[in-house]
Amino acid sequence: MMPDLTRATWRKSTRSNGAGGNCVEVADLDVGIGIRDSKAPDTGHLTFTTRVWVTFLAQAKTGRHDR
């Protein structure tokens, strides 16, 4: 099922400095969470369930995904 993006409000990361670096935008969708590249918003997005997104954020805060 494709999410309805017509009412999506995309939010840019607070870490984005506007200098053309790596920027991610997130939106609350009717089926979960949408993620897209702010430099190329029309090239597509990823969709995650809210549960998966919350789990990812919790793990990221602990450094689990750091390299």
Side-chain angles (χ1 to χ4, degrees), residues 1-5 8-11 23-38 40-50 52-53 56:
M1 176 181 186
M2 293 295 293
D4 179 11
L5 300 178
T9 301
W10 295 93
R11 302 178 308 278
C23 301
V24 173
E25 290 181 320
V26 179
D28 295 316
L29 304 175
D30 54 344
V31 296
I33 305 296
I35 310 292
R36 72 180 184 182
D37 182 346
S38 65
D42 296 326
T43 61
H45 70 282
L46 301 172
T47 304
F48 299 95
T49 64
T50 303
V52 168
W53 184 245
F56 168 74

Side-chain angles (χ1 to χ4, degrees), residues 11-25 38-39:
R11 302 178 308 278
K12 193 176 290 191
S13 168
T14 57
R15 300 245 180 207
S16 173
N17 62 10
N22 297 326
C23 301
V24 173
E25 290 181 320
S38 65
K39 297 179 304 304

